[in-house]
Structure formats: structure tokens, C-alpha cells
């Protein structure tokens, strides 16, 4: 039997605020053996990430408190309440961590090379040539060969999936004994998910590394883990070997998790519905290289001559691998990025509109951003965030009327209205995603770009959000542009579909036709990876 690496006994975490305490983790105990994979699963807000951050002692101490009796033992050394100098010898070298939100975890002022190299300088005392060689090796490992020529790129210049893989490269840099992966594939498209999971398994075998995976994706749990702990409201309600738990779940909460996922297909669409948003020959090119005089001589063609039509009360799905230009296309249609070509909204050509001309249209065109934490102001309460658009576009409303609309928006996304008095950092990733959706819905817009709106949500909430979006679409005739790598969710939502690769459309048409009979090899590969279909 393999030797014990990490032992957690009677771990509780209380957060102190204004004299009151909130228990986020309640008497949790489990063990991870060397070379073993443990999965920690549960819905958003169940205490999974707080448990992981306790292992690294990264909670906001002293506001976070471990009651007496809590123990976290790593290689027979106690970690609870150890000083910073000791924990620095553990973090990054012995225990690595992939954080849930890469844009927040990466330093916006440092290049990719500098951030990956930093852990090599600190823990292995490498010189610059040695560090660069290791950085290039790590980028190969995590499938970022294209970034080897862009080492000076900054996090904001990368797609969500690319940022996630940079985080994985940083966590693996020093070959840790234990890797904690907090939603490691949330922002990744299905083909890269498979590559990353295969990579983690390969490294685990080669290095004898133990793995703690925190996820809401039970497909990953079944494929990857040896043991599973199921958390609900801070407690572990069930733990068992993975095969036994999936074959015979005992707790009703585990049974609910295993049965919950978005199902079905989009509601039948009106073929004669008017066009809400149309892009004709849309191009968005970014300068990649400049000459001595600063004139661009090479371009990244992020969006290259794309036609797209979104009809009233219908959803157009946009799928493709990370970096294919999906988000850039959405931002271009909303005039949040400069774009060439024609953009027509409700029959009006808005291609040449400036910021002032666009302002009255903003309430009718909204977006749910991919990274909920990065798009929510940390200095504003949830009520202020959701109500901000109402203040601008519904200035005549009284404070009470605005508050009623904020409460309604929170109810729509199945959140407690009293949470409007709290701040974004007080919520889990999935809860922040729901706040972002509530903000977009508060103005009752006609067109919404949904950029990975369910990526950070657990399966049961994904199903709720899909049902909610369908209901709101039917009631208000909203047009959605639904960007996602989760093809199960796209299948449940989209009427039409475009498949993108490297800035171009590979295949387009009615979603039902493409799902049932894809024509292009790239589309077949995407569907095979996501829906377990057999390619011809």
C-alpha cells in the first residue's frame, strides 16, 4: 500500500467579520497517499477551495481561523499555523497549485516568461539561460508551442484557455510532490481538456506526484481520480473509492450531483424571426510585429472575414478551441473592439458609431464576461454592480425601484437577494458567474454575448442557468450569442452554430444539422471529444 503524503484531520475554517464568524469548512478529514489522485467535488460554495487554500496556508489570516484540533500534516510535518518562512519552502516546490481564475492569479504587469521563470529562480536558483530552456520545455508540456515565440506576451494578450495552461506550467515547474488543481480545465476547450488531463496523468506516473483535483465536472472525476470526497455546505457527506462511489452513491446529495447535467436541445425557433445582430465580413487584426519606425509589418488575424447572423429570440452558438477568436468576435460585434466590416443592429448600421453614439445602445447590448472575478469591481457591493447600469440607463428610477430590479435579477439567477450587500471576494467562482449574469439581465437587453457563462458553474446550476436563459429568451425575445467550449450546453441552447478555428469559420449552419451530421474533420474531432461520438 502506498505511503501517506497528506493527512487532514478535523479541519474547520471560520471567517471572522464584524464580530460574527461564518464556518466555511466543518470538521473535514481525509488522506492522500503518494502517487494517488483524490477528487474534491461539490457545488459552488461548498468549501472545496477553502480546504485547498488551508493546505497551502493561503487563507486571509487572521480573519480566517482554524479552531483547536485542526491538523494538516504533509510528509509528517504540521502545516497549520506555521510561519511564512517555513511555508515558502513548501509552496511551489513541494506543493504546487493551479488556481481557479488564471487572469486574477497571474500578474498583469509581468510577461509570461518572467512569471514562469520566477519559481525557477526562487526554488532552483537557475540562471536565465537555464530558466528559459525550462520555460520552453514547460510550454511544450502544456500544449502551448505557439507561445514559444511570444514569451514577452502579457496575460491580457492571451485567451482564457492559454492563461489556464500558463498557470499549469507554473505549478509544474518544480516537479512538486503534491499538485492541487482547483478547477484546472474550467477555461479549456474539450480537446485541450483531454490533453491537459492526459499530461497530468503522465506527470503523475513519471514523478510519483499526488494530485488533489477540485472540480464540479464529474466526467473528469470519473476519468482521473482514485478516491472521491463529496462536500456540501462545508462538510464531507460521502467519501469512497471512485468506482464504488459512481456505481453506488449512498448520500442523496451525491445522487443528485451524478444525475444533474444540461439536457435536451434548443426550443424550436421561428424561421421568419427578424435579424437582431448581423456581422458582414468582420475582421479584427492585431499588430504582431513592427519595423524600426513602429509601423506594423505582421498581423495576428484574430477574426478574419466572418459573417454571423443572430435572430430575435434565438441563440447562435460559437464554438472552437481556445484562441480561435470566439471572444474577439463577440467584443467586435458589441463595438468593444475596433473591427472592420459591417455591423448591423436592429437594421441600423453601427459600424462607424463612436463611443458616444454607442452609449444609448448599451442597455440593449450586454455581455457576460468569461472571467467573473476580473470583470466585477472589488470595491463595489453586488447590489451596486448589478445596479450600475440601471443608474446610467434608468436614471429616473428611485433608489427603491432600482433595488427591486436588483433583487429580481438575483432571484432570476437563483441567488439570495440579501447577498447584494456583500462584495465579490466573498463569493465562490460559480456564485460570481451568476452575479455577472444577473448584471447583464438587469437591463432586459435585446442582445447578449454570453462568453463561457456556465464554465465556472457546477452541473446542477448549469442546468438551472440553461433553463433560466431559455425562459428569459422566450419571455423577452432576447437574442444570444453563446460562446462556449462545453458542447453539451451549446447543444441545449443553440439554434444556429458556427465553428471557428484560427480566426476563420470552419463550418456553419443549423445547430441540429451540425451536431447530427458534421461535415468538417475539425468539427467531428470537437464533437468526438465533447460528446463521446465516434468519428467516421
Amino acid at each position: 500500500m502506498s505511503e501517506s503524503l497528506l493527512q487532514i484531520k478535523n479541519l474547520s475554517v471560520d471567517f471572522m467579520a464584524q464580530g460574527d464568524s461564518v464556518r466555511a469548512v466543518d470538521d473535514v478529514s481525509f488522506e492522500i497517499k503518494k502517487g494517488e489522485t483524490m477528487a474534491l467535488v461539490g457545488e459552488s460554495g461548498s468549501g472545496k477551495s477553502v480546504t485547498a487554500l488551508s493546505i497551502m496556508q493561503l487563507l486571509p489570516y487572521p480573519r480566517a481561523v482554524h479552531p483547536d484540533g485542526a491538523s494538516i500534516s504533509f510528509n509528517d510535518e504540521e502545516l497549520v499555523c506555521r510561519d511564512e518562512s517555513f511555508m515558502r519552502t513548501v509552496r511551489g516546490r513541494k506543493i504546487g497549485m493551479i488556481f481557479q481564475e488564471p487572469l486574477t492569479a497571474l500578474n498583469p504587469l509581468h510577461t509570461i516568461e518572467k512569471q514562469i521563470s520566477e519559481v525557477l529562480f526562487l526554488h532552483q536558483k537557475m540562471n536565465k539561460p537555464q530558466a528559459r530552456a525550462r520555460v520552453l520545455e514547460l510550454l511544450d508540456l502544456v500544449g502551448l508551442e505557439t507561445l514559444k515565440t511570444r514569451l514577452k506576451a502579457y496575460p491580457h494578450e492571451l485567451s482564457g484557455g492559454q492563461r489556464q495552461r500558463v498557470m499549469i506550467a507554473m505549478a509544474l515547474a518544480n516537479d512538486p510532490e503534491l499538485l492541487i488543481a482547483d478547477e484546472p480545465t474550467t477555461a479549456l476547450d474539450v480537446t485541450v481538456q483531454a490533453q491537459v488531463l492526459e499530461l497530468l496523468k503522465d506527470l503523475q506516473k513519471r514523478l510519483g506526484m499526488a494530485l488533489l483535483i477540485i472540480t464540479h465536472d464529474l466526467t473528469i472525476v470519473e476519468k482521473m481520480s482514485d478516491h472521491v470526497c463529496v462536500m456540501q455546505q462545508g462538510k464531507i457527506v460521502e467519501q469512497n473509492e471512485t468506482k464504488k462511489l459512481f456505481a453506488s452513491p449512498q448520500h442523496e446529495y451525491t445522487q443528485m450531483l451524478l444525475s444533474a447535467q444540461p439536457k435536451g436541445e434548443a426550443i424550436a425557433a421561428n424561421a421568419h424571426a427578424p435579424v437582431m445582430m448581423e456581422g458582414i465580413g468582420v475582421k479584427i487584426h492585431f499588430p504582431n510585429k513592427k519595423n524600426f519606425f513602429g509601423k506594423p509589418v505582421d498581423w495576428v488575424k484574430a477574426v478574419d472575414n466572418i459573417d454571423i447572423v443572430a435572430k430575435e429570440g434565438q441563440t447562435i452558438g460559437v464554438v472552437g478551441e481556445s484562441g480561435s477568436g470566439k471572444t474577439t468576435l463577440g467584443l467586435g460585434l458589441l463595438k468593444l473592439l475596433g473591427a472592420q466590416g459591417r455591423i448591423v443592429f436592429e437594421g441600423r448600421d453601427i459600424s462607424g458609431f463612436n463611443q458616444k453614439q454607442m452609449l444609448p445602445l448599451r442597455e440593449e447590448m450586454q455581455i457576460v464576461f468569461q472571467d467573473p472575478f476580473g470583470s466585477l469591481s472589488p470595491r463595489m457591493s453586488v447590489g451596486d454592480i448589478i445596479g450600475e447600469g440601471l443608474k446610467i440607463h434608468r436614471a429616473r428610477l428611485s433608489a427603491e425601484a432600482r433595488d427591486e430590479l436588483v433583487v429580481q435579477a438575483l432571484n432570476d439567477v437563483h441567488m439570495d437577494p440579501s447577498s447584494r450587500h456583500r462584495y465579490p471576494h466573498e463569493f465562490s467562482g460559480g456564485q460570481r458567474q451568476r452575479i455577472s449574469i444577473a448584471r447583464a439581465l438587469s437591463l432586459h437587453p435585446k442582445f447578449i454575448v454570453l462568453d463561457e457563462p456556465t464554465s465556472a458553474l457546477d452541473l446542477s446550476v448549469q442546468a438551472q442557468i440553461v433553463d433560466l436563459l431559455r425562459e428569459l429568451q422566450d419571455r423577452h425575445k432576447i437574442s444570444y450569442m453563446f460562446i462556449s467550449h462545453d458542447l453539451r450546453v451549446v447543444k441545449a441552447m443553440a439554434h444556429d452554430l458556427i465553428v471557428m478555428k484560427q480566426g476563420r469559420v470552419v463550418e456553419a449552419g443549423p445547430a441540429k444539422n451540425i451536431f447530427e451530421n458534421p461535415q468538417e474533420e475539425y468539427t467531428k474531432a470537437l464533437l468526438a471529444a465533447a460528446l463521446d461520438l465516434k468519428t467516421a
Side-chain angles (χ1 to χ4, degrees), residues 29 40 59 62 91 105 110 152 155 166 169 177 193 238-239 281 302 427 453 463 510 513 520:
S29 298
L40 204 54
L59 292 173
R91 296 179 194 136
H110 290 174
K152 301 303 179 189
V166 168
E177 294 176 65
Q193 274 189 20
E238 185 170 358
Q239 58 177 302
F427 295 92
N513 293 355
E520 301 294 326

Side-chain angles (χ1 to χ4, degrees), residues 293-328:
F293 301 102
K295 185 178 179 180
V297 293
D298 188 30
W299 300 82
V300 175
K301 296 180 179 179
V303 173
D304 196 18
N305 199 31
I306 286 182
D307 296 336
I308 183 170
V309 175
K311 292 182 178 179
E312 182 184 83
Q314 296 180 21
T315 300
I316 181 159
V318 182
V319 301
E321 292 182 311
S322 185
S324 61
K326 306 184 299 292
T327 300
T328 306

